[in-house]
Amino acid sequence: GNSVTQMEGPVTLSEEAFLTINCTYTATGYPSLFWYVQYPGEGLQLLLKATKADDKGSNKGFEATYRKETTSFHLEKGSVQVSDSAVYFCALSARSNYQLIWGAGTKLIIKP
Amino acid sequence: DTGVSQDPRHKITKRGQNVTFRCDPISEHNRLYWYRQTLGQGPEFLTYFQNEAQLEKSRLLSDRFSAERPKGSFSTLEIQRTEQGDSAMYLCASSPSGGTSYEQYFGPGTRLTVT
């Protein structure tokens, strides 16, 4: 079946450090891939998306590239800020039934 | 522009009571989804509607759970005879029909505590 695996957290970085959060997936066909972010006490917000192989999604300085050959969609940011502290979820849509399949989430802590 | 709204935001109930949650999707979205999220986990899909039709409900956790979307606008999720294991965040999301990206937009959630 379809599944998403994310690196476990928490990930703790200093401000202005480079961020990578790994995400790999298993799916039949050609899923759409997403990163969502959940700030403390808030709902899930769509951060970025990619719908086909080699697409790069980007938003707010975050980027992720849809790599079909490695079935990966790693999240990166060149210089993190304290305000980026949140839980980040990788998800896929298999399109056939519209539900999103989620990773367990990675808590990111940025220290000033 | 209003996003997805959910009511109530918090609900505390005693075991055995029934609870009902409401979700109002983004107005032009005709697909609506319910998920459950427990602490430290990603959301777990429960059910979804296209307009008023419930197209997937096999993932509802038990027959105590039911959902409706009678006029294709707002939706309700009901849990009957609540149990302590039902304590979780219940999330609603909506999406437009058509398109190719399949992203969903989430409300703030309803946090249920069963005592």
Side-chain angles (χ1 to χ4, degrees):
Chain A
N2 301 322
S3 66
V4 174
T5 302
Q6 286 182 239
M7 66 189 291
E8 290 188 14
V11 173
T12 304
L13 296 172
S14 297
E15 205 166 20
E16 299 184 2
F18 184 87
L19 168 71
T20 300
I21 300 178
N22 290 337
C23 170
T24 57
Y25 69 89
T26 302
T28 54
Y30 301 91
S32 292
L33 301 174
F34 307 92
W35 278 100
Y36 281 82
V37 59
Q38 191 169 36
Y39 297 103
E42 298 186 14
L44 287 157
Q45 299 177 26
L46 177 64
L47 180 60
L48 53 83
K49 66 183 181 185
T51 59
K52 61 183 186 296
D54 300 325
D55 265 2
K56 178 185 283 188
S58 61
N59 187 25
K60 299 181 180 180
F62 291 90
E63 293 183 338
T65 301
Y66 189 142
R67 301 287 189 199
K68 190 160 178 66
E69 64 276 13
T70 54
T71 62
S72 66
F73 192 55
H74 304 321
L75 183 68
E76 297 181 335
K77 186 175 185 183
S79 177
V80 292
Q81 305 300 312
V82 172
S83 58
D84 293 327
S85 298
V87 180
Y88 291 81
F89 291 92
C90 184
L92 71 81
S93 171
R95 308 193 185 193
S96 59
N97 59 10
Y98 307 112
Q99 67 171 284
L100 291 175
I101 307 297
W102 299 81
T106 302
K107 184 173 184 177
L108 176 65
I109 301 169
I110 306 300
K111 297 189 172 181
Chain B
D1 174 34
T2 57
V4 178
S5 60
Q6 292 187 244
D7 184 69
R9 295 290 305 275
H10 304 275
K11 177 72 177 178
I12 300 173
T13 191
K14 292 185 177 180
R15 186 165 52 93
Q17 297 295 304
N18 298 343
V19 294
T20 299
F21 310 141
R22 176 178 171 128
C23 171
D24 287 87
I26 294 170
S27 58
E28 63 268 26
H29 289 182
N30 63 359
R31 293 197 183 120
L32 185 148
Y33 312 80
W34 285 99
Y35 292 83
R36 184 177 81 159
Q37 186 179 23
T38 53
L39 198 62
Q41 299 297 318
E44 175 185 18
F45 173 79
L46 296 178
T47 188
Y48 96 96
F49 294 84
Q50 179 154 326
N51 300 311
E52 65 275 13
Q54 190 173 13
L55 298 185
E56 174 61 71
K57 58 181 178 180
S58 65
R59 302 297 183 90
L60 286 168
L61 301 164
S62 77
D63 59 6
R64 298 185 296 106
F65 287 72
S66 62
E68 293 184 342
R69 194 183 184 196
K71 297 183 179 179
S73 56
F74 73 91
S75 175
T76 57
L77 177 70
E78 182 182 17
I79 308 174
Q80 296 182 329
R81 306 180 303 280
T82 53
E83 301 172 358
Q84 287 189 321
D86 297 332
S87 295
M89 179 75 85
Y90 290 85
L91 300 170
C92 177
S94 69
S95 69
S97 64
T100 59
S101 58
Y102 302 92
E103 69 262 32
Q104 297 174 17
Y105 297 88
F106 284 80
T110 294
R111 181 169 296 284
L112 173 66
T113 302
V114 181
T115 62

